[in-house]
Amino acid sequence: MSKKNQYAVQKFYGLPVENNNSGGYELKVGSDGEAKIHTWRTGKHTKGKYRHPGQLLLTENNLMVMIIATERMAFKDRHSEVPCQRFLTATVDADLLAVGQQLYRKSKIDKADV
């Protein structure tokens, strides 16, 4: 593939969220009562722009996700992650972002212990 067809790829760590009764967002938990961190990436057809942690993105399955961390990704490695559909302009409140980032840090520590 020629360089002109390549694009910058970013990997996003996020937690699924859903609307709550107060008009805000809350973590979407699984049947085990835990919120799980998943990863996505920018794709060639991803709409919108990433701005900062706490911003929401929409997956290709229309799942709303709070972005908690990002990292650069090599173009050649992009097929290891699922692309996101679009970045939303909506953001979560600082408290929810702090909870998400704490879960992210804890997951990094847990993986280092293995």
Side-chain angles (χ1 to χ4, degrees):
M1 180 185 318
S2 67
K3 288 268 190 197
K4 71 178 185 173
N5 290 330
Q6 291 187 10
Y7 51 91
V9 180
Q10 242 179 329
K11 182 176 183 176
F12 299 95
Y13 294 87
L15 287 162
V17 295
E18 55 193 0
N19 292 89
N20 64 20
N21 294 336
S22 305
Y25 301 96
E26 60 188 33
L27 294 180
K28 189 173 190 174
V29 294
S31 56
D32 60 0
E34 300 279 318
K36 295 200 176 23
I37 297 172
H38 299 279
T39 55
W40 291 268
R41 67 167 173 92
T42 48
K44 187 173 189 176
H45 302 289
T46 300
K47 306 280 188 250
K49 292 227 180 280
Y50 168 70
R51 304 210 187 288
H52 52 79
Q55 181 177 357
L56 298 179
L57 68 79
L58 204 56
T59 69
E60 290 185 331
N61 296 327
N62 292 323
L63 180 67
M64 239 184 335
V65 175
M66 168 182 62
I67 300 168
I68 52 176
T70 64
E71 63 184 43
R72 291 190 58 74
M73 184 176 204
F75 185 78
K76 65 181 177 59
D77 297 334
R78 73 191 184 281
H79 294 296
S80 65
E81 301 297 338
V82 177
C84 56
Q85 179 185 352
R86 70 174 53 244
F87 295 104
L88 304 175
T89 55
T91 59
V92 298
D93 63 37
D95 292 341
L96 187 58
L97 177 58
V99 169
Q101 289 177 327
Q102 186 175 2
L103 285 170
Y104 174 72
R105 284 191 293 276
K106 183 181 179 323
S107 75
K108 287 289 197 190
I109 292 168
D110 290 348
K111 286 179 184 167
D113 289 343
V114 175

